[in-house]
Amino acid sequence: MPAWLKNAVFYEIYPQSFNDTNKDGIGDIQGIIDKLDYVKSLGCNALWINPIYDSPFKDAGYDVRDYKKVAPRYGTNEDLVRLFEEAHKKEIKVLLDLVPGHTSEEHEWFKKSCEYEPNEYYNRYIWTNGAFCGIGGHPYIGGEAERDGCYMLNFFKCQPALNYGVLNITEPWQLPVDHPDVLATREALKDIMRFWLDKGCDGFRVDMADSLVKEDDEVKSATGAIWTDIRGMMDKDYPDAALVSEWCNPQCALKYGFHADFYLDHHGNGLNVLFRDNETEGPDNSYFNKNCDEDPKRFLADYLPRYEGSKDYGYISFITCNHDTPRLTKTMDESELKIAYSFIFTMPGVPFLYYGDEIGMKYLDYVKTKEGGFQRTGSRSPMQWEKNAANYGFSGADADKLYIPVDKDENAPCVDTAEENPDSLIHTVRNIIAIRKEYEDLQADGSFSVAYAKEGKRPFIYKRGDLLVAVNPGLKEETVDRSELENADFIKGNLIYGIGSADIDDQRIVLGPQSFAIWE
Ligand code: NOJ
């Protein structure tokens, strides 16, 4: 386990939209380098950058054409190495995005794989043995290649699935997981990883990490075996590099070798009921909605088994949002976000802050889809740096040349005005991350247990090591009797962080409306 993960706080950068220095309307690597001090000022000490490789950008770069080449719109490979170096000088780690499950249909491997004559890449993708032989249970394309076969897709039409083999074979064209050609795919993946690790990157966020072996068993053991093998390579040759999975099943992902696994917004899961239980008709029942009566029990029912089942192996990663998910501002105001973020940054594991969430950037539901973003595009708009600059300081390009238009609201939050306002969200983000940095109990490995969570009751109180953390997301004052707390006798009640009014004495805890407190 890389030691630096213990107190890592990540900042996710969607490079298209972060900072454009060459005025083409799209962010670039130099733009990221220029903002490293800003990232550091938030307290973040690690970056995850969405794919920056050469791509036709039909899925915003998750359709990779050349894994070993930076897309010219972002700069060059040398620029990326410079980013690693500059970040390291500031003690910031950099994770790239690894897309192991599919390539672009324009990748050279795929073009070779489409050829009539068998060649080295013939089995690099999953092909049937006839243009009229489809694939049950998976999306596929037929009739596009000279080769007589249909190929499997992993996501969009532009993303053919790489071939890591099939566990439960039922068709003659399926290859077992130990076939030399599918082992070659795995080696090619390792080669890509080595290429960037050797250049100074600090690890990878792994896209659709559970998608490698097809017809895998319920716990994805064949896919897991590949990651265990890759973790072996990392432990041996890159022991300080980190692997973070997009899997959302830490009990599996961490046992197979990932250091951290994202807690993603999946309908009805623990993360979803905290923040986004508002996707269907009817009231918003998200726990952090100030206007509802929800208790934290539904969250805990989902989270605790994940946490207990994985804490000995690695970390769960809470996120403020990501490039696939509507920003929380879609339904939450700043007062709610302050409480929600304080919660996120005091949970165990390795948290991720999505660019712009620190100023409460809006989810822009009106922007036109860009590069396969569809409704995700609303969370990918240009970073708002300066209130009075053109395009909010994101880019010197004409507004109609921007990758995605900027927020058209005249009250759009910006970094400079947020900095000036002592009550703004950015200061809450800084303060809570600073407290996390100061107290080891709040970091990745600090123990976690529930001190108070009751049906129909708003407060949620939990222990992190020797600290007691109390949340009241609602608009009413709440009182909790000390006798109702589990194992919290030791708390003296020295407040180290607070939002709103929160008091503790020998008898009771009184949590004012929308309050958050951490006591020693
Ligand atoms: C998950 C990524 O986060 C998403 O943006 C992408 O479209 C799919 N995987 C396919 O790679």
Side-chain angles (χ1 to χ4, degrees):
M1 179 67 71
W4 60 270
L5 279 177
K6 285 183 195 302
N7 78 352
V9 176
F10 276 85
Y11 191 79
E12 179 191 346
I13 292 181
Y14 186 72
Q16 288 90 319
S17 294
F18 194 58
N19 188 24
D20 170 23
T21 60
N22 68 349
K23 302 189 182 177
D24 63 355
I26 301 182
D28 44 51
I29 291 173
Q30 184 59 48
I32 300 175
I33 293 174
D34 289 352
K35 297 294 184 185
L36 287 173
D37 283 331
Y38 169 75
V39 170
K40 192 161 170 116
S41 83
L42 297 172
C44 296
N45 51 9
L47 302 177
W48 155 31
I49 305 174
N50 294 106
I52 40 162
Y53 317 107
D54 181 46
S55 165
F57 293 106
K58 290 185 178 171
D59 182 17
Y62 283 95
D63 47 331
V64 181
R65 185 163 51 200
D66 185 346
Y67 289 97
K68 294 185 178 176
K69 182 182 172 201
V70 166
R73 73 187 198 182
Y74 300 128
T76 62
N77 285 16
E78 289 69 40
D79 291 328
L80 185 55
V81 170
R82 211 156 42 79
L83 168 61
F84 299 150
E85 289 166 0
E86 293 302 316
H88 292 163
K89 282 185 204 159
K90 298 177 195 297
E91 295 179 327
I92 296 173
K93 305 280 185 182
V94 184
L95 297 199
L96 296 180
D97 211 315
L98 184 70
V99 189
H102 48 268
T103 66
S104 158
E105 62 199 344
E106 293 185 22
H107 196 290
E108 281 306 316
W109 297 341
F110 186 65
K111 290 192 205 158
K112 294 292 282 181
S113 188
C114 287
E115 286 177 6
Y116 183 75
E117 296 291 342
N119 56 57
E120 192 188 340
Y121 299 100
Y122 203 67
N123 289 323
R124 181 57 49 99
Y125 299 81
I126 303 174
W127 289 86
T128 69
N129 52 6
F132 301 99
C133 165
I135 306 176
H138 294 271
Y140 67 90
I141 301 280
E144 286 274 307
E146 278 185 349
R147 171 177 181 163
D148 189 12
C150 296
Y151 60 90
M152 191 187 286
L153 301 173
N154 218 32
F155 197 67
F156 283 155
K157 181 257 163 192
C158 61
Q159 291 155 318
L162 282 162
N163 195 354
Y164 294 89
V166 172
L167 183 64
N168 293 306
I169 292 187
T170 52
E171 304 291 339
W173 46 266
Q174 294 172 333
L175 300 182
V177 293
D178 58 355
H179 187 281
D181 291 353
V182 310
L183 293 177
T185 309
R186 187 194 304 192
E187 290 311 309
L189 177 65
K190 287 184 185 167
D191 175 59
I192 293 160
M193 295 174 76
R194 285 181 177 281
F195 180 83
W196 290 112
L197 290 166
D198 288 341
K199 289 192 176 339
C201 106
D202 299 291
F204 302 94
R205 172 271 187 185
V206 179
D207 187 71
M208 294 173 67
D210 65 337
S211 74
L212 306 192
V213 173
K214 306 305 178 193
E215 317 309 338
D216 207 343
D217 57 23
E218 216 179 312
V219 292
K220 307 247 171 161
S221 59
T223 297
I226 295 177
W227 292 116
T228 305
D229 175 39
I230 289 175
R231 169 70 180 266
M233 168 186 99
M234 294 184 60
D235 284 351
K236 183 167 158 282
D237 296 336
Y238 309 95
D240 216 27
L243 272 187
V244 182
S245 50
E246 186 198 31
W247 193 314
C248 201
N249 185 344
Q251 299 100 310
C252 282
L254 303 182
K255 277 181 205 158
Y256 295 141
F258 284 96
H259 299 108
D261 182 41
F262 284 111
Y263 204 2
L264 298 168
D265 178 67
H266 289 167
H267 188 74
N269 79 356
L271 195 86
N272 181 263
V273 299
L274 287 177
F275 307 120
R276 295 186 183 82
D277 193 8
N278 46 35
E279 290 146 347
T280 44
E281 290 293 301
D284 180 346
N285 290 324
S286 314
Y287 176 68
F288 283 102
N289 170 14
K290 65 184 173 196
N291 292 310
C292 76
D293 297 321
E294 284 300 314
D295 60 53
K297 300 283 274 186
R298 287 187 304 156
F299 159 67
L300 288 168
D302 182 75
Y303 172 71
L304 285 176
R306 292 174 189 264
Y307 173 67
E308 295 297 341
S310 68
K311 67 180 192 311
D312 295 338
Y313 301 91
Y315 304 124
I316 292 176
S317 283
F318 278 82
I319 58 175
T320 59
C321 188
N322 69 19
H323 63 288
D324 292 332
T325 313
R327 289 193 193 263
L328 289 178
T329 47
K330 188 174 173 197
T331 53
M332 291 168 71
D333 66 20
E334 251 192 55
S335 69
E336 292 167 308
L337 291 176
K338 285 178 180 172
I339 307 286
Y341 289 179
S342 299
F343 161 81
I344 288 172
F345 291 110
T346 51
M347 288 300 279
V350 180
F352 281 66
L353 174 66
Y354 184 52
Y355 85 96
D357 278 353
E358 69 275 22
I359 53 170
M361 270 176 61
K362 297 288 177 304
Y363 173 73
L364 308 186
D365 56 4
Y366 53 84
V367 291
K368 191 173 139 203
T369 181
K370 184 76 178 179
E371 296 184 346
F374 302 98
Q375 86 277 9
R376 305 177 295 183
T377 312
S379 294
R380 300 174 174 185
S381 62
M383 180 70 180
Q384 294 147 205
W385 297 104
E386 286 173 62
K387 190 83 202 171
N388 293 319
N391 307 317
Y392 292 126
F394 160 67
S395 167
D398 292 341
D400 62 350
K401 297 278 181 318
L402 298 187
Y403 177 77
I404 293 168
V406 294
D407 186 349
K408 63 183 182 196
D409 184 348
E410 59 178 29
N411 296 317
C414 289
V415 172
D416 60 349
T417 44
E419 296 282 18
E420 283 162 17
N421 174 2
D423 292 332
S424 73
L425 190 60
I426 198 169
H427 298 294
T428 304
V429 170
R430 275 209 183 94
N431 292 342
I432 192 65
I433 294 177
I435 288 288
R436 187 183 171 97
K437 289 276 166 63
E438 195 180 329
Y439 288 85
E440 221 179 303
D441 280 347
L442 292 174
Q443 295 170 11
D445 287 324
S447 67
F448 170 88
S449 65
V450 176
Y452 179 92
K454 293 245 161 26
E455 206 162 317
K457 303 284 187 200
R458 290 295 265 151
F460 176 33
I461 305 179
Y462 48 100
K463 289 195 301 170
R464 293 297 319 279
D466 288 339
L467 303 173
L468 192 71
V469 185
V471 188
N472 174 17
L475 291 171
K476 289 202 285 279
E477 182 180 281
E478 303 283 347
T479 302
V480 175
D481 208 280
R482 283 279 297 246
S483 64
E484 293 178 277
L485 298 186
E486 302 272 335
N487 308 319
D489 303 340
F490 62 93
I491 298 296
K492 285 204 211 77
N494 180 28
L495 185 77
I496 59 165
Y497 175 88
I499 295 176
S501 71
D503 286 315
I504 188 167
D505 63 25
D506 292 347
Q507 307 296 317
R508 306 175 312 162
I509 291 180
V510 181
L511 298 170
Q514 292 194 289
S515 59
F516 191 98
I518 309 177
W519 290 291
E520 275 182 298

